Amino acid sequence: MLNWLSALLATAVVWPWRVVTNRWPVIAYVPDDPEGNIQMHRTPPMRRAQAKAVARDWAEHIKRYGEPPAQ
């Protein structure tokens, strides 16, 4: 319960900060193997329009190849 509450409070602070600064990262979580290990791919923060374009590109690449493009 404490983790959930802290995540909710962090979101209430982080989202408005990102809106004001216009800095958004793009993050993709990819299952690595059948055991459930997960690999995270993340970009540095960028402007929202650029982040949306990267997210669309990554989504298309993930649909085709099963993982985000190499960074």
Side-chain angles (χ1 to χ4, degrees):
M1 180 77 167
L2 186 58
N3 285 341
W4 180 83
L5 184 58
S6 62
L8 184 61
L9 290 173
T11 300
V13 172
V14 171
W15 273 81
W17 176 253
R18 293 208 184 280
V19 169
V20 168
T21 62
N22 196 27
R23 306 297 290 169
W24 301 86
V26 178
I27 302 171
Y29 296 97
V30 181
D32 245 0
D33 55 42
E35 296 163 2
N37 294 329
I38 296 177
Q39 183 180 18
M40 182 178 81
H41 295 265
R42 180 188 172 121
T43 66
M46 59 188 79
R47 297 209 173 270
R48 185 174 184 161
Q50 184 182 5
K52 285 179 132 182
V54 169
R56 282 191 301 270
D57 292 344
W58 279 20
E60 184 62 35
H61 196 275
I62 290 168
K63 283 181 188 176
R64 286 187 183 161
Y65 305 108
E67 63 183 2
Q71 295 178 351

